[in-house]
């Protein structure tokens, strides 16, 4: 029995560490999970009080109300915010609880800024390393939000695909999203849709070609 347990553990370990970027672009038994949009490092550039419903304590409301709301868009409107289509995968697991909890603990004093932070690959590695993926397996896909820029009417997100067992980053790409719509929820939700649509139509093919 002990030998069986050891062999089973070794087999599971090998399987977890054998996941590669190719698993995203081909038929594979590897579990692919959508982890959500990480807003813990986002910067709000410009006057967000111009949006109706946002008062003097706008950063508190954005963290407590809109971080969950923007993540919920993808869960509640899967045909529009099409993770499966974006990744060309029929089976996607939605596992956003960890990111939602992280977002709820974002320090509001650090949210507002005068400029985009332009996060580097090393910055993104540091952010990923700070996330605990305990008891999670397979490949996790998330957006790390960099900035919501009211002045330039644009948002930046980093598309990140991670081997969760080792925190190895398989893909990291900084992408620009154009916001659209009425009200703060729909306006910045439009930037998420724009990024997902660009991944689906442009970047997925580019990444696959680079792999081959």
């Amino acid at each position: 029995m002990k030998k069986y347990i050891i062999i089973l553990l070794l087999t599971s370990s090998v399987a977890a560490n054998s996941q590669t970027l190719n698993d995203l672009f081909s038929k594979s038994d590897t579990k692919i999970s959508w982890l959500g949009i990480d807003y813990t490092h986002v910067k709000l550039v410009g006057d967000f009080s111009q949006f109706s419903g946002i008062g003097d304590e706008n950063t508190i409301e954005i963290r407590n109300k809109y971080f969950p709301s923007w993540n919920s868009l993808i869960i509640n409107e899967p045909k529009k915010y099409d993770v499966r289509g974006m990744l060309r995968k029929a089976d996607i697991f939605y596992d956003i609880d960890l990111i939602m909890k992280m977002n709820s603990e974002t320090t509001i004093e650090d949210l507002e800024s005068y400029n985009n932070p332009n996060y580097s690959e090393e910055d993104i590695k540091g952010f990923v390393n700070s996330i605990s993926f305990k008891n999670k397996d397979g490949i996790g896909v998330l957006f790390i939000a960099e900035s919501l820029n009211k002045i330039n009417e644009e948002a930046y997100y980093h598309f990140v695909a991670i081997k969760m067992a080792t925190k190895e980053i398989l893909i990291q790409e900084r992408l620009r999203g154009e916001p659209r719509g009425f009200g703060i929820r729909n306006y910045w939700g439009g930037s998420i849709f724009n990024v997902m649509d660009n991944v689906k139509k442009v970047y997925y093919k580019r990444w696959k070609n680079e792999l081959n």
Side-chain angles (χ1 to χ4, degrees), residues 188-208:
W188 296 110
S191 70
I192 299 166
F193 170 81
N194 184 232
V195 167
M196 296 180 77
D197 197 47
N198 285 336
V199 171
K200 181 179 180 180
K201 295 178 178 178
V202 179
Y203 287 95
Y204 180 93
K205 295 176 183 177
R206 182 180 300 177
W207 295 331
K208 186 174 182 179

PDB file of all heavy atoms in Angstrom, residues 188-208:
ATOM      1  N   TRP A 188     -16.077  50.314 -18.278  1.00  0.00           N
ATOM      2  CA  TRP A 188     -14.828  49.563 -18.139  1.00  0.00           C
ATOM      3  C   TRP A 188     -15.032  48.086 -18.453  1.00  0.00           C
ATOM      4  O   TRP A 188     -14.082  47.390 -18.833  1.00  0.00           O
ATOM      5  CB  TRP A 188     -14.240  49.766 -16.749  1.00  0.00           C
ATOM      6  CG  TRP A 188     -13.845  51.194 -16.525  1.00  0.00           C
ATOM      7  CD1 TRP A 188     -14.440  52.101 -15.699  1.00  0.00           C
ATOM      8  CD2 TRP A 188     -12.803  51.910 -17.189  1.00  0.00           C
ATOM      9  NE1 TRP A 188     -13.830  53.324 -15.799  1.00  0.00           N
ATOM     10  CE2 TRP A 188     -12.816  53.240 -16.711  1.00  0.00           C
ATOM     11  CE3 TRP A 188     -11.849  51.552 -18.150  1.00  0.00           C
ATOM     12  CZ2 TRP A 188     -11.918  54.203 -17.147  1.00  0.00           C
ATOM     13  CZ3 TRP A 188     -10.946  52.522 -18.590  1.00  0.00           C
ATOM     14  CH2 TRP A 188     -10.994  53.823 -18.091  1.00  0.00           C
ATOM     15  N   GLY A 189     -16.270  47.608 -18.327  1.00  0.00           N
ATOM     16  CA  GLY A 189     -16.569  46.265 -18.808  1.00  0.00           C
ATOM     17  C   GLY A 189     -16.315  46.147 -20.303  1.00  0.00           C
ATOM     18  O   GLY A 189     -15.888  45.109 -20.802  1.00  0.00           O
ATOM     19  N   GLY A 190     -16.555  47.256 -21.016  1.00  0.00           N
ATOM     20  CA  GLY A 190     -16.279  47.289 -22.455  1.00  0.00           C
ATOM     21  C   GLY A 190     -14.811  47.083 -22.762  1.00  0.00           C
ATOM     22  O   GLY A 190     -14.453  46.475 -23.775  1.00  0.00           O
ATOM     23  N   SER A 191     -13.936  47.561 -21.883  1.00  0.00           N
ATOM     24  CA  SER A 191     -12.493  47.371 -22.109  1.00  0.00           C
ATOM     25  C   SER A 191     -12.111  45.910 -21.922  1.00  0.00           C
ATOM     26  O   SER A 191     -11.221  45.404 -22.614  1.00  0.00           O
ATOM     27  CB  SER A 191     -11.683  48.267 -21.166  1.00  0.00           C
ATOM     28  OG  SER A 191     -11.770  47.829 -19.814  1.00  0.00           O
ATOM     29  N   ILE A 192     -12.773  45.222 -20.998  1.00  0.00           N
ATOM     30  CA  ILE A 192     -12.526  43.794 -20.802  1.00  0.00           C
ATOM     31  C   ILE A 192     -12.966  43.015 -22.040  1.00  0.00           C
ATOM     32  O   ILE A 192     -12.238  42.150 -22.542  1.00  0.00           O
ATOM     33  CB  ILE A 192     -13.284  43.280 -19.561  1.00  0.00           C
ATOM     34  CG1 ILE A 192     -12.799  44.010 -18.305  1.00  0.00           C
ATOM     35  CG2 ILE A 192     -13.113  41.768 -19.408  1.00  0.00           C
ATOM     36  CD1 ILE A 192     -13.698  43.813 -17.097  1.00  0.00           C
ATOM     37  N   PHE A 193     -14.161  43.341 -22.530  1.00  0.00           N
ATOM     38  CA  PHE A 193     -14.658  42.680 -23.739  1.00  0.00           C
ATOM     39  C   PHE A 193     -13.710  42.905 -24.915  1.00  0.00           C
ATOM     40  O   PHE A 193     -13.415  41.982 -25.677  1.00  0.00           O
ATOM     41  CB  PHE A 193     -16.053  43.206 -24.100  1.00  0.00           C
ATOM     42  CG  PHE A 193     -16.531  42.744 -25.448  1.00  0.00           C
ATOM     43  CD1 PHE A 193     -17.088  41.479 -25.610  1.00  0.00           C
ATOM     44  CD2 PHE A 193     -16.408  43.562 -26.569  1.00  0.00           C
ATOM     45  CE1 PHE A 193     -17.510  41.043 -26.854  1.00  0.00           C
ATOM     46  CE2 PHE A 193     -16.823  43.129 -27.814  1.00  0.00           C
ATOM     47  CZ  PHE A 193     -17.379  41.866 -27.954  1.00  0.00           C
ATOM     48  N   ASN A 194     -13.221  44.135 -25.067  1.00  0.00           N
ATOM     49  CA  ASN A 194     -12.334  44.472 -26.172  1.00  0.00           C
ATOM     50  C   ASN A 194     -11.042  43.657 -26.120  1.00  0.00           C
ATOM     51  O   ASN A 194     -10.580  43.137 -27.152  1.00  0.00           O
ATOM     52  CB  ASN A 194     -12.023  45.970 -26.136  1.00  0.00           C
ATOM     53  CG  ASN A 194     -11.183  46.437 -27.304  1.00  0.00           C
ATOM     54  OD1 ASN A 194     -10.149  47.087 -27.126  1.00  0.00           O
ATOM     55  ND2 ASN A 194     -11.589  46.127 -28.523  1.00  0.00           N
ATOM     56  N   VAL A 195     -10.486  43.496 -24.936  1.00  0.00           N
ATOM     57  CA  VAL A 195      -9.265  42.695 -24.787  1.00  0.00           C
ATOM     58  C   VAL A 195      -9.543  41.228 -25.097  1.00  0.00           C
ATOM     59  O   VAL A 195      -8.773  40.578 -25.824  1.00  0.00           O
ATOM     60  CB  VAL A 195      -8.686  42.852 -23.367  1.00  0.00           C
ATOM     61  CG1 VAL A 195      -7.625  41.790 -23.095  1.00  0.00           C
ATOM     62  CG2 VAL A 195      -8.073  44.233 -23.190  1.00  0.00           C
ATOM     63  N   MET A 196     -10.632  40.701 -24.565  1.00  0.00           N
ATOM     64  CA  MET A 196     -10.967  39.296 -24.816  1.00  0.00           C
ATOM     65  C   MET A 196     -11.202  39.056 -26.298  1.00  0.00           C
ATOM     66  O   MET A 196     -10.784  38.026 -26.853  1.00  0.00           O
ATOM     67  CB  MET A 196     -12.199  38.897 -24.004  1.00  0.00           C
ATOM     68  CG  MET A 196     -11.985  38.945 -22.509  1.00  0.00           C
ATOM     69  SD  MET A 196     -13.446  38.473 -21.550  1.00  0.00           S
ATOM     70  CE  MET A 196     -13.369  36.689 -21.744  1.00  0.00           C
ATOM     71  N   ASP A 197     -11.847  39.995 -26.955  1.00  0.00           N
ATOM     72  CA  ASP A 197     -12.114  39.870 -28.387  1.00  0.00           C
ATOM     73  C   ASP A 197     -10.818  39.912 -29.193  1.00  0.00           C
ATOM     74  O   ASP A 197     -10.658  39.171 -30.169  1.00  0.00           O
ATOM     75  CB  ASP A 197     -13.051  41.010 -28.821  1.00  0.00           C
ATOM     76  CG  ASP A 197     -13.719  40.746 -30.168  1.00  0.00           C
ATOM     77  OD1 ASP A 197     -14.232  39.626 -30.367  1.00  0.00           O
ATOM     78  OD2 ASP A 197     -13.737  41.658 -31.011  1.00  0.00           O
ATOM     79  N   ASN A 198      -9.877  40.762 -28.773  1.00  0.00           N
ATOM     80  CA  ASN A 198      -8.583  40.835 -29.465  1.00  0.00           C
ATOM     81  C   ASN A 198      -7.765  39.561 -29.271  1.00  0.00           C
ATOM     82  O   ASN A 198      -7.066  39.119 -30.190  1.00  0.00           O
ATOM     83  CB  ASN A 198      -7.788  42.042 -28.969  1.00  0.00           C
ATOM     84  CG  ASN A 198      -8.319  43.353 -29.527  1.00  0.00           C
ATOM     85  OD1 ASN A 198      -8.959  43.370 -30.571  1.00  0.00           O
ATOM     86  ND2 ASN A 198      -8.072  44.447 -28.829  1.00  0.00           N
ATOM     87  N   VAL A 199      -7.845  38.971 -28.073  1.00  0.00           N
ATOM     88  CA  VAL A 199      -7.161  37.698 -27.854  1.00  0.00           C
ATOM     89  C   VAL A 199      -7.749  36.640 -28.775  1.00  0.00           C
ATOM     90  O   VAL A 199      -7.019  35.881 -29.431  1.00  0.00           O
ATOM     91  CB  VAL A 199      -7.277  37.247 -26.381  1.00  0.00           C
ATOM     92  CG1 VAL A 199      -6.766  35.817 -26.213  1.00  0.00           C
ATOM     93  CG2 VAL A 199      -6.496  38.188 -25.476  1.00  0.00           C
ATOM     94  N   LYS A 200      -9.068  36.604 -28.834  1.00  0.00           N
ATOM     95  CA  LYS A 200      -9.767  35.615 -29.655  1.00  0.00           C
ATOM     96  C   LYS A 200      -9.422  35.751 -31.132  1.00  0.00           C
ATOM     97  O   LYS A 200      -9.180  34.758 -31.829  1.00  0.00           O
ATOM     98  CB  LYS A 200     -11.280  35.774 -29.451  1.00  0.00           C
ATOM     99  CG  LYS A 200     -12.131  34.789 -30.227  1.00  0.00           C
ATOM    100  CD  LYS A 200     -13.608  35.031 -29.919  1.00  0.00           C
ATOM    101  CE  LYS A 200     -14.497  34.059 -30.682  1.00  0.00           C
ATOM    102  NZ  LYS A 200     -15.945  34.299 -30.372  1.00  0.00           N
ATOM    103  N   LYS A 201      -9.376  36.993 -31.652  1.00  0.00           N
ATOM    104  CA  LYS A 201      -9.222  37.231 -33.089  1.00  0.00           C
ATOM    105  C   LYS A 201      -7.778  37.408 -33.540  1.00  0.00           C
ATOM    106  O   LYS A 201      -7.464  37.158 -34.709  1.00  0.00           O
ATOM    107  CB  LYS A 201     -10.037  38.465 -33.496  1.00  0.00           C
ATOM    108  CG  LYS A 201     -11.533  38.288 -33.339  1.00  0.00           C
ATOM    109  CD  LYS A 201     -12.276  39.559 -33.701  1.00  0.00           C
ATOM    110  CE  LYS A 201     -13.787  39.385 -33.591  1.00  0.00           C
ATOM    111  NZ  LYS A 201     -14.517  40.647 -33.888  1.00  0.00           N
ATOM    112  N   VAL A 202      -6.902  37.841 -32.634  1.00  0.00           N
ATOM    113  CA  VAL A 202      -5.541  38.199 -33.048  1.00  0.00           C
ATOM    114  C   VAL A 202      -4.473  37.426 -32.274  1.00  0.00           C
ATOM    115  O   VAL A 202      -3.652  36.706 -32.855  1.00  0.00           O
ATOM    116  CB  VAL A 202      -5.287  39.712 -32.898  1.00  0.00           C
ATOM    117  CG1 VAL A 202      -3.857  40.053 -33.301  1.00  0.00           C
ATOM    118  CG2 VAL A 202      -6.301  40.514 -33.705  1.00  0.00           C
ATOM    119  N   TYR A 203      -4.469  37.582 -30.958  1.00  0.00           N
ATOM    120  CA  TYR A 203      -3.336  37.111 -30.175  1.00  0.00           C
ATOM    121  C   TYR A 203      -3.276  35.598 -30.049  1.00  0.00           C
ATOM    122  O   TYR A 203      -2.178  35.032 -30.009  1.00  0.00           O
ATOM    123  CB  TYR A 203      -3.344  37.767 -28.792  1.00  0.00           C
ATOM    124  CG  TYR A 203      -2.949  39.223 -28.861  1.00  0.00           C
ATOM    125  CD1 TYR A 203      -3.921  40.218 -28.941  1.00  0.00           C
ATOM    126  CD2 TYR A 203      -1.614  39.604 -28.875  1.00  0.00           C
ATOM    127  CE1 TYR A 203      -3.572  41.556 -29.022  1.00  0.00           C
ATOM    128  CE2 TYR A 203      -1.251  40.932 -28.948  1.00  0.00           C
ATOM    129  CZ  TYR A 203      -2.235  41.903 -29.032  1.00  0.00           C
ATOM    130  OH  TYR A 203      -1.885  43.224 -29.123  1.00  0.00           O
ATOM    131  N   TYR A 204      -4.423  34.920 -29.967  1.00  0.00           N
ATOM    132  CA  TYR A 204      -4.403  33.463 -29.875  1.00  0.00           C
ATOM    133  C   TYR A 204      -3.643  32.871 -31.061  1.00  0.00           C
ATOM    134  O   TYR A 204      -2.775  32.008 -30.889  1.00  0.00           O
ATOM    135  CB  TYR A 204      -5.826  32.919 -29.827  1.00  0.00           C
ATOM    136  CG  TYR A 204      -5.905  31.412 -29.738  1.00  0.00           C
ATOM    137  CD1 TYR A 204      -5.988  30.782 -28.505  1.00  0.00           C
ATOM    138  CD2 TYR A 204      -5.875  30.617 -30.886  1.00  0.00           C
ATOM    139  CE1 TYR A 204      -6.039  29.392 -28.410  1.00  0.00           C
ATOM    140  CE2 TYR A 204      -5.929  29.240 -30.806  1.00  0.00           C
ATOM    141  CZ  TYR A 204      -6.015  28.633 -29.569  1.00  0.00           C
ATOM    142  OH  TYR A 204      -6.066  27.258 -29.486  1.00  0.00           O
ATOM    143  N   LYS A 205      -3.952  33.330 -32.257  1.00  0.00           N
ATOM    144  CA  LYS A 205      -3.282  32.830 -33.466  1.00  0.00           C
ATOM    145  C   LYS A 205      -1.787  33.160 -33.436  1.00  0.00           C
ATOM    146  O   LYS A 205      -0.954  32.355 -33.816  1.00  0.00           O
ATOM    147  CB  LYS A 205      -3.926  33.431 -34.711  1.00  0.00           C
ATOM    148  CG  LYS A 205      -5.375  33.015 -34.924  1.00  0.00           C
ATOM    149  CD  LYS A 205      -5.957  33.724 -36.126  1.00  0.00           C
ATOM    150  CE  LYS A 205      -7.439  33.376 -36.312  1.00  0.00           C
ATOM    151  NZ  LYS A 205      -8.052  34.124 -37.448  1.00  0.00           N
ATOM    152  N   ARG A 206      -1.470  34.361 -32.968  1.00  0.00           N
ATOM    153  CA  ARG A 206      -0.065  34.775 -32.910  1.00  0.00           C
ATOM    154  C   ARG A 206       0.717  33.899 -31.938  1.00  0.00           C
ATOM    155  O   ARG A 206       1.811  33.433 -32.245  1.00  0.00           O
ATOM    156  CB  ARG A 206       0.011  36.252 -32.479  1.00  0.00           C
ATOM    157  CG  ARG A 206       1.419  36.812 -32.439  1.00  0.00           C
ATOM    158  CD  ARG A 206       1.403  38.264 -32.010  1.00  0.00           C
ATOM    159  NE  ARG A 206       0.630  39.088 -32.927  1.00  0.00           N
ATOM    160  CZ  ARG A 206       0.403  40.384 -32.747  1.00  0.00           C
ATOM    161  NH1 ARG A 206       0.895  40.987 -31.663  1.00  0.00           N
ATOM    162  NH2 ARG A 206      -0.303  41.075 -33.611  1.00  0.00           N
ATOM    163  N   TRP A 207       0.140  33.669 -30.751  1.00  0.00           N
ATOM    164  CA  TRP A 207       0.818  32.833 -29.763  1.00  0.00           C
ATOM    165  C   TRP A 207       0.983  31.400 -30.277  1.00  0.00           C
ATOM    166  O   TRP A 207       2.024  30.792 -30.083  1.00  0.00           O
ATOM    167  CB  TRP A 207       0.032  32.835 -28.457  1.00  0.00           C
ATOM    168  CG  TRP A 207      -0.045  34.159 -27.779  1.00  0.00           C
ATOM    169  CD1 TRP A 207       0.888  35.174 -27.837  1.00  0.00           C
ATOM    170  CD2 TRP A 207      -1.093  34.649 -26.942  1.00  0.00           C
ATOM    171  NE1 TRP A 207       0.472  36.254 -27.099  1.00  0.00           N
ATOM    172  CE2 TRP A 207      -0.733  35.962 -26.540  1.00  0.00           C
ATOM    173  CE3 TRP A 207      -2.295  34.116 -26.499  1.00  0.00           C
ATOM    174  CZ2 TRP A 207      -1.545  36.732 -25.698  1.00  0.00           C
ATOM    175  CZ3 TRP A 207      -3.118  34.879 -25.666  1.00  0.00           C
ATOM    176  CH2 TRP A 207      -2.745  36.166 -25.280  1.00  0.00           C
ATOM    177  N   LYS A 208      -0.031  30.897 -30.928  1.00  0.00           N
ATOM    178  CA  LYS A 208       0.040  29.520 -31.451  1.00  0.00           C
ATOM    179  C   LYS A 208       1.097  29.413 -32.512  1.00  0.00           C
ATOM    180  O   LYS A 208       1.863  28.422 -32.569  1.00  0.00           O
ATOM    181  CB  LYS A 208      -1.323  29.105 -31.993  1.00  0.00           C
ATOM    182  CG  LYS A 208      -1.380  27.635 -32.418  1.00  0.00           C
ATOM    183  CD  LYS A 208      -2.790  27.246 -32.818  1.00  0.00           C
ATOM    184  CE  LYS A 208      -2.851  25.762 -33.185  1.00  0.00           C
ATOM    185  NZ  LYS A 208      -4.224  25.355 -33.556  1.00  0.00           N
TER     186      LYS A 208
END
